[in-house]
Structures are given as C-alpha cells and as structure tokens.
Amino acid sequence: MSKAYAARRSLLNRFSKRFRSMSWLASCFQRIIRDIEKTIGEGKNMSCVAWKSLFCSTDYAGLGFHDLYSFNMAMLAKQAWRLVMNPESLLARPLKACYYPQRDFWSAMEAHPTLAIWRSIAAARPVLDCCIRMRIGNGRSTANWGHPWLSGKGNLFLFTPRPISLATRNRVSDILDPLAGSWNTSIVQEMFWLVDNFRILSTPVSGEHVEDRLFWSLS
C-alpha cells in the first residue's frame, strides 16, 4: 500500500467520523427542539404569542426579547461611536477618505455610489445625536452649528439659524473669552436668539488648556 493511498484513506476515515458526529449532533438538536415544542404546547404544536408580549421585560411577565429594529439601530450606533472615537481604525480610515475627507463624522456628505455599510451607519446618527455631546474646553474643535454641545436635556443644538455671512463665528472658541476662561457674554447676546443665550451661558467650560471631547451624556 503506497503512502499516498494510506494518507487518502486516513483522511476519508476522519471525514467520515466527523460527518457521523455532526449528523448525531444535528439529530440531538432536532430532538431537543421537538421536546421544547411539546413541553410548551402541552402535546400540541407551539403556541403563538404576540411579539409585543415576548419583548416586554421579565418584570412584566415578558421574555425580555429585544425589539429587533431598536436592537439593530443600537448596534449600528455603537459602530458609529467607534468611528468617532477611533478615527484611525481600519474601518474608519477608508470611510473617512470616501465620505468626509475634509470634514468630521457629523458633517459627512452622502456620496454616490454609497456603500451599504455607510448607509446603515449613517442611519444611526440620529441615535447618537440625542445621546452624546461635546464637553467644551478651548472650543477650537467644536462647531457652533452642527455639533451637539449645549447643556440641558432634549435638543443639544442651536435653535438660532446660521447666518449667511462668511464672517460668521463658526467655532465655539470664537464666542469664548480666553482670558476669563468663560463665555463672552456680549458676543453671545449679539449672535444668538434669547432661547439659546441661556443655554449657552449655562454650559460649563473646562478651560483654555483643555481640548474639547465627546462624552456619552446618558452615563
């Protein structure tokens, strides 16, 4: 018997044993499923239960199943958060080069053709908009319009529309007093609506020597 024939025979024997073990596991799994159905249905087929009853919390007699749409959006928002917090990752670098090479994630523009992965992640941006905000330091990396940075609950963006003038102060640093380490009250009152004045002046400032950073506002 040649060595090549012996090797092929040994390989076929191992494959046959593996296949038999997989078939045995599959049959066991099928038996388990049938036993579960029989137990739940008390000898009948599995009973139908409304989905809204299944994804209720166990505290309310539900099974705690996730709403699949909300669960999917949460997972996509988590990926979007990783793009923001790890801009040099293997996933973030090609997406940035394609969709926001000169911008940040929040001001990314839709390009054509659009990858399915980007469409999915971009669809989860509203989830992040209501859950994260910028902690203001020197204000240089935070835009007045486009970044969630105001304190309080609800809408974290400015209500005041952005002026058309090219001389508009676009960065939060433009409305800060670097010497005092606080807001420049006169500029704030001049530029923004009254409803935004109070929200801006009540937003804490970390100081001139601290960089702006994103944080999860619900934690």
Side-chain angles (χ1 to χ4, degrees):
M1 183 183 297
S2 66
K3 292 183 178 180
Y5 177 80
R8 288 197 298 270
R9 185 180 183 119
S10 175
L11 180 61
L12 288 173
N13 287 336
R14 289 199 299 269
F15 177 79
S16 177
K17 291 179 181 178
R18 179 65 59 85
F19 181 79
R20 286 197 297 270
S21 64
M22 291 174 63
S23 300
W24 178 79
L25 289 174
S27 63
C28 288
F29 181 74
Q30 291 175 355
R31 286 198 298 270
I32 292 172
I33 293 298
R34 285 196 297 269
D35 290 343
I36 292 174
E37 291 180 349
K38 183 178 180 181
T39 301
I40 295 177
E42 297 181 353
K44 303 177 182 179
N45 294 330
M46 184 177 289
S47 302
C48 293
V49 180
W51 179 251
K52 64 180 181 180
S53 300
L54 292 178
F55 72 74
C56 285
S57 170
T58 53
D59 296 334
Y60 299 97
L63 295 181
F65 289 178
H66 289 285
D67 178 352
L68 294 183
Y69 175 79
S70 299
F71 181 76
N72 184 55
M73 292 301 292
M75 293 297 100
L76 291 172
K78 185 175 182 179
Q79 294 302 320
W81 177 253
R82 288 177 176 174
L83 292 181
V84 174
M85 300 306 293
N86 300 292
E88 297 301 320
S89 66
L90 189 60
L91 174 62
R93 290 169 66 183
L95 290 178
K96 176 176 175 60
C98 184
Y99 297 107
Y100 50 104
Q102 305 299 329
R103 302 180 178 91
D104 56 19
F105 176 81
W106 309 107
S107 56
M109 303 295 291
E110 184 175 346
H112 298 282
T114 306
L115 295 175
I117 183 174
W118 174 252
R119 289 199 303 269
S120 300
I121 293 176
R125 282 195 295 186
V127 179
L128 291 183
D129 287 342
C130 66
C131 298
I132 67 172
R133 68 178 56 164
M134 298 291 295
R135 178 167 285 135
I136 301 301
N138 54 32
R140 296 191 184 97
S141 58
T142 304
N144 289 328
W145 289 272
H147 286 168
W149 59 274
L150 294 174
S151 62
K153 297 181 180 179
N155 184 21
L156 305 179
F157 298 86
L158 292 169
F159 290 111
T160 307
R162 181 176 182 174
I164 302 177
S165 172
L166 297 177
T168 301
R169 296 178 173 89
N170 292 317
R171 292 288 166 179
V172 172
S173 58
D174 296 331
I175 58 176
L176 286 171
D177 185 345
L179 298 179
S182 60
W183 302 104
N184 190 320
T185 307
S186 60
I187 294 179
V188 170
Q189 293 176 347
E190 176 187 349
M191 284 184 58
F192 304 103
W193 290 352
L194 184 61
V195 65
D196 286 332
N197 286 346
F198 175 76
R199 297 199 299 160
I200 293 174
L201 297 177
S202 62
T203 300
V205 179
S206 299
E208 175 65 20
H209 302 290
V210 180
E211 295 292 332
D212 303 340
R213 68 183 183 88
L214 279 170
F215 73 99
W216 191 258
S217 62
L218 300 182
S219 61

